Amino acid sequence: MTELDRITEEILKKISGGEFKQEGAFNLRHNGIQLCHGDSEHVKIKKKEDKNGIDIYIDGSTNGEKVSIPVVVNASGVDDEVYNDFYIEEGADVTIVAGCGIHNSGCNDSRHNGIHAFHIGKGANVRYEEKHYGEGEGAGARILNPVTKIYMEEDCVFTLDSVQIKGVDSTKRETDITMGAGSKLYVLEKLMTHDHQFAESNMEIQMNGEGSSAQIISRSVAKGTSKQVFHPKAIGNAKCQAHVQCDSIIMDHAEVASIPEINARHLDAAIIHEAAIGRINDEQLIKLRTLGMNEEEAEEIIIDNFLN
């Protein structure tokens, strides 16, 4: 077992809910290098030979297993780019827990660009959980630019649970998904920005297979003078169903742009989009204030319930 420093352990608790352990199938990347990893009976992790990153092979007998692949950056000035490919065989059932935390106490920017590709076999069930978090008192920025590509074969299920907790100064997320016949996609994106932070999320879903379905829910809170841009795009190329929903709370002097886009290219493509941006409900604030909370405490309760 590799001994970890205090800051790394604290960041791992933030991005993994305190569940990261050096056992089973796992890979910990630290300041741009593979610090430690392990395999299990059904999951094998191999280091790429041609570029930074790993290949994760999940066989069809995997049933309810968790695979942890966190990234921690706690040095100022790190510029890390990593390519991770997941090969999930037919019939596998697996949860992949990822995420990145950056602690920057220096004057230089620290960034992590994670490029992930998921190749999902027929009938597989995959849950992918990703949390992003930033902290540190330095003037250097904490920057995260994830790219996620998902290739879904017939009758598989993919759940993407993405959370940006706080402290990330700049992020640009690019997500591209291709869906086969009978496949099901569930996306829940939650985002918090504050101060002068910026966040952009672009998502394109190509629904190519008959009977495919997608549910996309994005919820965000923008504080301070932060800016957010959401652009989910659902394209129906076959008989399919999709629902895209973007809800945001705007506070202080923040700015939020929500641009859901739907494109039906088949007679039986049924796609719906909804978008709403608004301030915190005054009636909810008043009700919580009557229970003895101050305004800040009441706002935090409302925001927490909204995001969760």
Side-chain angles (χ1 to χ4, degrees), residues 162-168 171 189-199 218-230 246-257 276-281 296 298-308:
S162 171
V163 180
Q164 182 168 302
I165 306 170
K166 68 174 184 177
V168 179
T171 185
E189 182 179 55
K190 293 180 283 187
L191 175 70
M192 168 83 78
T193 57
H194 50 88
D195 299 328
H196 305 295
Q197 295 173 353
F198 173 77
S218 175
R219 291 192 172 183
S220 74
V221 176
K223 297 181 176 181
T225 58
S226 64
K227 295 182 179 180
Q228 301 178 1
V229 180
F230 297 93
C246 301
D247 295 324
S248 299
I249 289 178
I250 186 169
M251 302 174 65
D252 307 319
H253 302 285
E255 180 181 335
V256 179
I277 302 171
R279 58 178 294 170
I280 287 180
N281 186 290
E296 184 176 348
E299 285 181 350
E300 289 302 316
I301 291 290
I302 293 170
I303 289 170
D304 186 64
N305 279 280
F306 173 75
L307 291 175
N308 296 294

Side-chain angles (χ1 to χ4, degrees), residues 177 185-187 203 205 214-218 232 243-246:
I177 305 164
L185 172 69
Y186 302 96
V187 176
M203 181 180 300
I205 306 154
Q215 183 181 65
I216 317 300
I217 298 175
S218 175
H243 183 196
V244 181
Q245 180 178 335
C246 301

Side-chain angles (χ1 to χ4, degrees), residues 6 11 54 72 81 118 140 144 166 190 211 221 238 246 285 304:
R6 180 188 60 81
I11 291 176
I54 53 177
V72 174
E81 185 166 272
F118 296 85
L144 290 164
K166 68 174 184 177
K190 293 180 283 187
V221 176
C246 301
L285 271 178
D304 186 64

Side-chain angles (χ1 to χ4, degrees), residues 45-56:
I45 300 174
K46 296 183 179 180
K47 188 176 181 179
K48 288 184 182 292
E49 296 181 357
D50 58 338
K51 52 189 170 183
N52 286 330
I54 53 177
D55 293 323
I56 303 97

Side-chain angles (χ1 to χ4, degrees), residues 23-83:
E23 58 185 44
F26 73 93
N27 186 86
L28 173 58
R29 188 172 181 85
H30 181 260
N31 289 335
I33 63 170
Q34 184 183 35
L35 186 62
C36 54
H37 96 279
D39 295 334
S40 67
E41 179 182 357
H42 300 295
V43 181
K44 309 300 179 187
I45 300 174
K46 296 183 179 180
K47 188 176 181 179
K48 288 184 182 292
E49 296 181 357
D50 58 338
K51 52 189 170 183
N52 286 330
I54 53 177
D55 293 323
I56 303 97
Y57 298 92
I58 301 169
D59 72 33
S61 298
T62 307
N63 185 15
E65 187 171 343
K66 277 192 175 183
V67 181
S68 296
I69 56 161
V71 174
V72 174
V73 175
N74 64 354
S76 186
V78 171
D79 189 354
D80 182 31
E81 185 166 272
V82 62
Y83 295 80

Side-chain angles (χ1 to χ4, degrees), residues 38 87 97 100 110 121 131 139 150 183 191 234-235 243 265 267 292-293:
Y87 300 93
V97 182
C100 178
S110 293
K131 290 184 179 180
I150 305 167
S183 60
L191 175 70
I235 303 171
H243 183 196
R265 298 176 179 172
L267 182 64
M293 298 181 189

Side-chain angles (χ1 to χ4, degrees), residues 135-150:
E135 64 174 32
E137 300 302 321
R142 295 159 289 272
I143 303 169
L144 290 164
N145 294 321
V147 176
T148 306
K149 297 181 181 295
I150 305 167

